Amino acid sequence: MDKKGEFLKIWTERVHRDHADEMLNWLERETDFFTAPSSTKYHGAHPGGLLVHSLNVYHRLRKIAVIETYGIPMAPKLAEDVEETVAILGLLHDVCKVTCYHTETRRRTNPAPGFWEDCQ
């Protein structure tokens, strides 16, 4: 499964509150969330980096909040609420970055042949 498919699966299985479908629709149709870089030159500074970073945060947060903290059985409703909260927090923690970062092509000299080349 690709990263976008993974995001969509987590979102649709875990997030059930009002307007969740509208949020997902906005992310898909009006933003670059699934293709944007996460930063200009640090973690996730590549196309799709924002999505990859968001999934990484979700998985780590889920491990901390659900698996390690709540290693004991929870009441089903509490477990569902915790899973939903973790999904929203992890997957959307950097949603403010949509449409902010873009990849750019720069020119640099390749020392081996001595020619200029494009790089990102």
Side-chain angles (χ1 to χ4, degrees):
M1 174 183 318
D2 68 347
K3 296 297 182 184
K4 182 176 180 182
E6 181 182 355
F7 180 98
L8 296 174
K9 183 177 188 321
I10 294 165
W11 186 265
T12 56
E13 289 178 358
R14 304 275 189 218
V15 182
H16 304 291
R17 61 184 61 191
D18 292 343
H19 309 290
D21 54 340
E22 293 170 31
M23 181 67 177
L24 184 57
N25 186 48
W26 176 75
L27 287 173
E28 287 189 289
R29 298 178 192 271
E30 299 182 39
T31 74
D32 59 353
F33 181 83
F34 295 101
T35 58
S38 184
S39 70
T40 56
K41 54 184 169 177
Y42 300 106
H43 68 277
H46 56 84
L50 181 57
L51 173 60
V52 171
H53 172 66
S54 297
L55 286 167
N56 289 341
V57 170
Y58 162 76
H59 289 298
R60 182 64 180 127
L61 182 59
R62 185 172 184 273
K63 183 177 183 203
I64 293 167
V66 177
I67 298 168
E68 292 176 4
T69 304
Y70 295 104
I72 56 172
M74 286 187 274
K77 178 61 177 143
L78 176 60
E80 186 178 314
D81 290 347
V82 169
E83 290 280 6
E84 181 180 53
T85 299
V86 166
I88 292 168
L89 290 173
L91 296 175
L92 299 182
H93 79 281
D94 270 348
V95 75
C96 61
K97 291 182 177 181
V98 296
T99 69
C100 289
Y101 298 127
H102 307 282
T103 56
E104 294 180 357
T105 302
R106 298 184 314 262
R107 302 283 290 163
R108 71 174 176 199
T109 303
N110 184 328
F115 296 109
W116 285 91
E117 63 184 8
D118 292 337
C119 65
Q120 291 192 355

